[in-house]
Amino acid sequence: MIRRREFVRNSALGAAALLLARPARLASAVVASTPDSRIEVLPDEVLGTISPNVYGHFVEHIGGVIYDGVWVGENSKVRNIGGIRKDLIDEMRKIKAPVVRYPGGCFADSYDWRDGVGPADKRPRRTNFWIEAEPSSEPANHRYESNRFGTDEFMRFCKLIGCQPYLAANVRSLPAEAFYRWVEYCNSPAGSTTLADERAASGSAEPYNVRYWGVGNESWGCGGNFTADEYAVEFRRYTSWLPAYEQPLSLIASGPNEDNWQWTRGFFEEIARKDKDLFGSIFGWALHYYSWNLSRGHTQDWDAGKGEALRFDVQDWYEVLHEGGRLESLIEGHWQAMGEFDSGHQVKLVVDEWGPWYRPGSQLTVDNFLEQVPTLRDAVFSAMTLDIFNRHPEKVTLASPAQLINCLNSLYLAHEDKFCVTPVGHVFGIYCAHQGGQAVRTIISAPNVQYSRDDKPTPFWGLQGSASVHGKDLVLTVVNPSVNEIRETEITVRGASIKSGTTTVLTNSDLHAHNSFDQRNVVTPQVKDLQSTGRVLTLQISPASVTKLELSLT
């Protein structure tokens, strides 16, 4: 995670004093008398296939993510399947989760996979990487790792939800041999090796066939404090002659923190210096980007720069969206830097940590480190981000927000027998219709939003979105960031007519609206049939909303 070295050092000191912002409710919505916005979808101008994996997820041994989030134990009164929370399994199936990253995060580079396999009662207890940051009031299994949930439990979780596993290997504190043996444990054929027999004894004679492997995590920071060229040497060493077992491995290198162009150029230059053909063996380059600084340029201090998750004003609504929107330029910038050495762009971008990061204090479960409550604002933010990925299918091949449950930009919150889907979770449910579709060029024009930024009038984009074609069907998603302006929008599909369709809208009159254990349906999608069809569709796009149109074309 961004600046995690400073964060680990400082977070134990406690949160800064909370400042209560005035409640922000939507003002009376302003409606244009005639269409003020236009969207034209161009089905013949294909950008590429939207990889389902850009709708991936991430779980780490941190706070309440694994213990109490994913894992409740076989003997728990909480509904579970083999110890894994059933509500989570059910929801993950609904959103067609394609891939889940594990076990970290910074935790990955302190983790020995051997600790988490074999008989549960024989597994060693270890100090969790996050112990210095986690408050002493947190449960012991948040601060000391029991290893009750390890490789085999994670693989069962993936199987239950129908997704691919993505494992992050330890480069900082384990030798290359340990990575080799982890691949062997997961992928060697039944009965072929001693590790295959160990796997069988743990319940799976057949190999797990893990394809996605991260080679370290944030190697510029918590993953080893390497320089870019030092890490490139380590990457080559850790990935040389890994056994494939007829299952091609997709190796993901530890990429930059936000706009660290030097890290990208340094790694690619060192790989190219040795052998440019090595780019063909690198599947992905992992970019991490958190939107945390809402100070509008007044400070770069990690704590002082953050805003509140629940108590924010209109200015902070736009500010977090402004910060999140920077991701598009980061994708374009790193793609250009990668192309300076890998001209054929064999290596794709992987954005496997993204999302807003606020000050502590909003969590539903007090003892969950880094839990924050996502609001409507975070739903709009997340939809905007997924649209960015959809607009760059040739560049971004896999992505995951941080994190799936009980941490930062969560899809779900859980504690004991309580569970709820957050507005972010609903966005993933809405957007999963894009998976595997052909992304097509979409021209969107809308008046800019005007808001006050430090008492200065500031423009902000009016509408953004993305579109994908699935045979004769079209999926169009649109975000309206304005807190009070309805966009009267004219929608056309070049060369086609709209035969029928539905709209799905996620919004609320309160910008701070969020779901909780007691009120689980405050922010939920509303689905309606289209009332008009033909060559031109006029639609009112609500303020502060996420909208999806699923259209059948003729």
Side-chain angles (χ1 to χ4, degrees):
M1 296 179 180
I2 181 173
R3 299 193 178 182
R4 222 179 260 190
R5 283 171 289 178
E6 291 88 346
F7 175 60
V8 171
R9 185 171 59 246
N10 295 337
S11 60
L13 300 179
L18 299 178
L19 298 176
L20 179 63
R22 289 182 300 166
R25 286 185 174 269
L26 296 181
S28 298
V30 178
V31 188
S33 57
T34 59
D36 64 353
S37 305
R38 286 172 175 77
I39 299 174
E40 183 180 16
V41 181
L42 286 64
D44 292 335
E45 297 192 28
V46 177
L47 304 175
T49 300
I50 297 173
S51 169
N53 290 338
V54 299
Y55 293 86
H57 306 283
F58 167 38
V59 295
E60 179 175 7
H61 287 261
I62 183 173
V65 175
I66 297 297
Y67 302 113
D68 199 28
V70 177
W71 180 260
V72 296
E74 301 99 323
N75 300 321
S76 173
K77 294 180 181 178
V78 178
R79 293 193 315 149
N80 70 88
I81 300 177
I84 297 167
R85 184 182 291 273
K86 188 175 186 302
D87 286 337
L88 179 60
I89 294 168
D90 293 343
E91 291 298 331
M92 294 287 277
R93 286 173 175 168
K94 291 178 187 177
I95 66 171
K96 302 176 183 177
V99 64
V100 178
R101 177 178 178 236
Y102 170 84
C106 287
F107 178 88
D109 278 292
S110 65
Y111 180 64
D112 186 342
W113 69 269
R114 292 302 303 259
D115 291 346
V117 299
D121 60 349
K122 302 294 184 184
R123 297 179 189 178
R125 300 186 305 279
R126 305 292 188 196
T127 302
N128 189 294
F129 171 88
W130 292 103
I131 189 169
E132 296 301 324
E134 301 238 16
S136 59
S137 61
E138 290 219 11
N141 64 1
H142 291 190
R143 305 172 68 239
Y144 297 95
E145 178 53 54
S146 69
N147 284 301
R148 183 59 191 85
F149 186 93
T151 299
D152 298 299
E153 290 78 18
F154 175 67
M155 294 301 170
R156 287 199 282 276
F157 174 52
C158 290
K159 185 176 181 179
L160 286 166
I161 63 177
C163 80
Q164 291 288 317
Y166 165 16
L167 294 177
N170 181 343
V171 170
R172 176 176 61 83
S173 59
L174 286 181
E177 181 191 9
F179 181 23
Y180 186 104
R181 298 301 177 203
W182 201 8
V183 174
E184 184 178 328
Y185 180 85
C186 291
N187 291 359
S188 59
S192 64
T193 66
T194 299
L195 287 175
D197 292 343
E198 287 188 31
R199 184 187 66 230
S202 293
S204 182
E206 294 305 312
Y208 294 129
N209 294 325
V210 179
R211 174 183 173 184
Y212 301 104
W213 295 88
V215 185
N217 167 77
E218 294 188 352
S219 297
W220 39 264
C222 63
N225 282 327
F226 294 111
T227 63
D229 55 342
E230 287 172 343
Y231 172 66
V233 172
E234 291 300 295
F235 180 89
R236 289 200 307 260
R237 187 165 68 87
Y238 273 70
T239 60
S240 295
W241 301 104
L242 285 171
Y245 305 112
E246 300 182 0
Q247 165 66 53
L249 304 182
S250 295
L251 302 173
I252 298 167
S254 177
N257 177 40
E258 46 182 74
D259 60 354
N260 189 343
W261 319 115
Q262 182 179 357
W263 181 264
T264 293
R265 289 192 171 96
F267 176 87
F268 276 74
E269 182 177 22
E270 175 58 27
I271 294 294
R273 185 191 66 77
K274 179 66 168 66
D275 184 355
K276 283 191 174 183
D277 289 342
L278 290 173
F279 289 128
S281 66
I282 305 174
F283 172 77
W285 181 238
L287 165 66
H288 289 180
Y289 177 58
Y290 288 91
S291 303
W292 64 275
N293 194 339
L294 305 189
S295 72
R296 301 171 294 285
H298 295 308
T299 182
Q300 291 299 312
D301 183 86
W302 175 249
D303 293 314
K306 290 198 186 78
E308 301 287 347
L310 294 178
R311 294 179 283 186
F312 56 86
D313 57 18
V314 169
Q315 185 172 249
D316 277 348
W317 165 280
Y318 289 115
E319 196 64 25
V320 76
L321 296 178
H322 174 269
E323 287 297 299
R326 291 181 56 211
L327 178 58
E328 190 153 25
S329 64
L330 295 177
I331 288 170
E332 292 168 339
H334 285 292
W335 186 253
Q336 178 180 340
M338 293 156 65
E340 294 170 10
F341 305 94
D342 174 23
S343 58
H345 280 297
Q346 298 175 84
V347 185
K348 306 300 182 185
L349 277 166
V350 170
V351 188
D352 54 14
E353 291 188 30
W354 63 264
W357 190 328
Y358 304 114
R359 293 173 186 161
S362 70
Q363 60 267 38
L364 296 185
T365 303
V366 175
D367 291 331
N368 279 352
F369 175 60
L370 289 191
E371 180 185 307
Q372 58 194 32
V373 174
T375 66
L376 176 64
R377 175 176 63 165
D378 303 303
V380 171
F381 179 106
S382 298
M384 172 190 72
T385 302
L386 294 175
D387 281 326
I388 290 172
F389 298 149
N390 291 345
R391 293 196 295 267
H392 295 274
E394 80 288 9
K395 302 180 184 74
V396 183
T397 191
L398 191 153
S400 56
Q403 296 188 22
L404 176 66
I405 186 168
N406 291 346
C407 185
L408 299 178
N409 197 40
S410 303
L411 281 73
Y412 313 107
L413 297 173
H415 178 56
E416 296 175 345
D417 62 345
K418 298 182 285 290
F419 182 89
C420 71
V421 181
T422 73
V424 174
H426 286 307
V427 165
F428 273 81
I430 293 168
Y431 272 63
C432 68
H434 278 299
Q435 292 184 16
Q438 296 294 300
V440 295
R441 192 161 77 91
T442 305
I443 302 171
I444 300 178
S445 59
N448 280 338
V449 173
Q450 298 291 331
Y451 75 104
S452 177
R453 190 173 191 258
D454 289 341
D455 297 322
K456 297 177 182 177
T458 304
F460 194 77
W461 50 267
L463 291 177
Q464 284 189 2
S466 65
S468 62
V469 173
H470 309 250
K472 289 291 187 180
D473 296 327
L474 174 73
V475 177
L476 172 65
T477 47
V478 185
V479 169
N480 181 0
S482 172
V483 301
N484 68 340
E485 293 175 297
I486 293 174
R487 292 297 175 209
E488 188 82 12
T489 306
E490 185 179 274
I491 300 170
T492 60
V493 182
R494 184 178 293 181
S497 290
I498 299 167
K499 181 173 65 174
S500 61
T502 61
T503 61
T504 303
V505 179
L506 187 72
T507 190
N508 193 282
S509 62
D510 184 356
L511 300 179
H512 306 97
H514 58 277
N515 298 333
S516 65
F517 299 144
D518 296 326
Q519 294 182 300
R520 299 172 60 182
N521 298 310
V522 174
V523 184
T524 56
Q526 303 299 312
V527 182
K528 296 181 179 179
D529 291 330
L530 280 179
Q531 298 303 307
S532 62
T533 56
R535 299 194 67 85
V536 179
L537 171 67
T538 301
L539 185 72
Q540 289 190 345
I541 300 179
S542 301
S545 69
V546 177
T547 298
K548 177 181 68 173
L549 291 88
E550 293 184 280
L551 307 175
S552 294
L553 306 178
T554 59

